[in-house]
Amino acid sequence: MTANWSEASEAVRQAKSILIVTHISPDGDAIGSLLGLANGLREMGKQVDAAVDGGVPLFLNYIPGQETVLGELKAGQWDLMVSVDASDEERTGEAGKFGRTHSTQVVNLDHHATNTQFGNFHLVVPEAASASEVVYDWLVYMGHPVSQASATALLTGMVTDTLAFRTSHVIPRTLMVAHDLMAAGAPLFDIINWTMVSRPISDFLLWQRVFPSVKYDDGIVSAVILPDDVKAVGLSDISDAGLVSTLVTADEVMIAIIFKVQEDNTVKLSMRSKVGYDVAQVAFALGGGGHKPAAGATVAGTLDEVWAKVMPMLREVVNRGKLMSG
Ligand code: 5GP
Ligand code: MN
């Protein structure tokens, strides 16, 4: 993995117009790193566009600058495109595709170990707990003081990717960065409440429909979400309402997986695992990506076909983990 801090910073210095994109189905870190950087670069006097297919999810609409994010890119030409929190080019969707062909250079800023090293300059830091932390480091590297608007965005990314500082990749430095962002005015209590605690009743109504599909077998728990389940409770089609993260907390469970059946004969997989069990390699082998404890992919086929393909792969991860732990 590489980090071309000086080359990437020089590219920003020379650029007048900059486009920032992130991954589709954006989470708190995708929007946090997007807006943390967009706000910072605008303060530096750059002309900045920020875009992600479908725009900012409702639960993140408190982040300063969110109203500037384009849900669709139809026109434009930029000196530089920066992709944040996306491990491969595909993940940046239509906005990324348009941006690539209308930008002179591309900076790839990310923290996924599965990053494919696309783009002209790389700021890929797998040790970082969130892409937002890499954006923080970059703003500091460029000598730009982090404003309250940027800090609120970046602390959002840190909080959501670490499940409020509860994951194994949190180290003392993570908390130091969070400290700096809080000191810059980011409201930690509100951010945790808005992103981690408060949830609409439709989340529970979805769980109510989905729970009968929950199956547990020797360390692996699974659940199936059908298009009708999502429609019935009026949720957006990307959400599992946090169910997979909850299922993995069961003592006996090493891996939790949700099969989200989609209308185009594909199944979206959402996986979570305990420390020592790597689901990123499974996701990567299926054409997706993510982190060891949280990864996903979209696989073509019926539920039965995808199930038959994926479950043995997860079984192998569990067996290998058992061997390693003696
Ligand atoms: P989630 O289960 O919350 O959708 O995703 C968990 C993690 O896996 C996130 O880091 C997300 O970016 C990554 N991920 C989920 N689906 C895909 C995919 O189709 N491709 C890639 N590259 N990463 C994915
Ligand atoms: Mn992230």
Side-chain angles (χ1 to χ4, degrees), residues 23 27-30 33 85-86 110-112 129-132 157 161 291:
H23 65 77
D27 56 14
D29 191 33
S33 53
D85 201 31
D110 189 27
H111 70 124
H112 292 87
S130 61
S132 293
D161 263 25
H291 307 281

Side-chain angles (χ1 to χ4, degrees), residues 210-224 247 253 255-257 303 307 311:
V210 170
F211 256 109
S213 76
V214 170
K215 283 199 181 85
Y216 171 75
D217 180 26
D218 195 18
I220 302 178
V221 67
S222 62
V224 176
L247 290 175
V253 167
I255 296 179
I257 179 164
L303 174 62
W307 179 285
M311 284 314 242

Side-chain angles (χ1 to χ4, degrees), residues 162-227:
T162 62
L163 307 178
F165 307 106
R166 289 184 292 152
T167 54
S168 66
H169 56 339
V170 172
I171 57 174
R173 182 172 196 272
T174 322
L175 299 180
M176 264 176 47
V177 174
H179 163 274
D180 289 356
L181 297 174
M182 216 177 157
L188 178 66
F189 172 82
D190 287 335
I191 289 172
I192 291 178
N193 191 43
W194 290 326
T195 60
M196 310 285 304
V197 182
S198 92
R199 48 168 77 248
I201 191 68
S202 52
D203 282 12
F204 293 103
L205 298 177
L206 180 73
W207 290 15
Q208 182 180 41
R209 290 181 64 99
V210 170
F211 256 109
S213 76
V214 170
K215 283 199 181 85
Y216 171 75
D217 180 26
D218 195 18
I220 302 178
V221 67
S222 62
V224 176
I225 301 181
L226 300 173

Side-chain angles (χ1 to χ4, degrees), residues 27-324:
D27 56 14
D29 191 33
I31 301 298
S33 53
L34 180 84
L35 284 171
L37 185 60
N39 292 335
L41 293 178
R42 283 177 182 140
E43 291 152 10
M44 290 162 69
K46 302 295 175 184
Q47 184 209 312
V48 175
D49 288 309
V52 61
D53 296 357
V56 177
L58 215 54
F59 79 103
L60 296 169
N61 69 4
Y62 64 88
I63 301 180
Q66 64 89 22
E67 67 287 349
T68 68
V69 176
L70 306 165
E72 195 182 6
L73 270 189
K74 282 197 181 133
Q77 189 69 42
W78 301 270
D79 299 324
L80 184 68
M81 175 173 108
V82 184
S83 164
V84 295
D85 201 31
S87 56
D88 59 66
E89 290 187 307
E90 276 284 279
R91 282 287 280 168
T92 58
E94 292 302 316
K97 200 187 283 178
F98 187 91
R100 267 197 301 287
T101 50
H102 293 81
S103 302
T104 313
Q105 286 187 310
V106 174
V107 170
N108 167 4
L109 182 154
D110 189 27
H111 70 124
H112 292 87
T114 55
N115 188 283
T116 59
Q117 306 284 323
F118 63 90
N120 305 94
F121 306 113
H122 308 144
L123 299 175
V124 181
V125 185
E127 302 77 34
S130 61
S132 293
E133 192 180 323
V134 185
V135 169
Y136 169 86
D137 285 337
W138 196 18
L139 291 176
V140 170
Y141 185 95
M142 292 191 285
H144 182 74
V146 177
S147 65
Q148 184 174 11
S150 272
T152 299
L154 298 176
L155 192 58
T156 296
M158 294 193 78
V159 163
T160 54
D161 263 25
T162 62
L163 307 178
F165 307 106
R166 289 184 292 152
T167 54
S168 66
H169 56 339
V170 172
I171 57 174
R173 182 172 196 272
T174 322
L175 299 180
M176 264 176 47
V177 174
H179 163 274
D180 289 356
L181 297 174
M182 216 177 157
L188 178 66
F189 172 82
D190 287 335
I191 289 172
I192 291 178
N193 191 43
W194 290 326
T195 60
M196 310 285 304
V197 182
S198 92
R199 48 168 77 248
I201 191 68
S202 52
D203 282 12
F204 293 103
L205 298 177
L206 180 73
W207 290 15
Q208 182 180 41
R209 290 181 64 99
V210 170
F211 256 109
S213 76
V214 170
K215 283 199 181 85
Y216 171 75
D217 180 26
D218 195 18
I220 302 178
V221 67
S222 62
V224 176
I225 301 181
L226 300 173
D228 278 352
D229 295 324
V230 180
K231 270 186 223 148
V233 299
L235 275 174
S236 84
D237 62 349
I238 46 169
S239 171
D240 77 336
L243 182 57
V244 71
S245 308
T246 304
L247 290 175
V248 78
T249 63
D251 291 337
E252 296 82 355
V253 167
M254 304 306 147
I255 296 179
I257 179 164
I258 296 216
F259 294 83
K260 282 202 69 178
V261 179
Q262 308 192 102
E263 264 152 359
D264 59 354
N265 196 42
T266 64
V267 180
K268 182 170 164 25
L269 306 174
S270 210
M271 297 178 276
R272 298 291 183 274
S273 63
K274 293 254 171 69
V275 174
Y277 300 86
D278 178 1
V279 286
Q281 48 157 322
V282 173
F284 194 64
L286 293 166
H291 307 281
K292 285 180 185 177
T298 297
V299 183
T302 64
L303 174 62
D304 288 348
E305 288 163 358
V306 175
W307 179 285
K309 187 173 186 180
V310 174
M311 284 314 242
M313 297 170 82
L314 297 182
R315 179 61 55 206
E316 206 184 306
V317 173
V318 169
N319 290 342
R320 216 177 308 140
K322 274 186 190 157
L323 283 176
M324 304 247 285

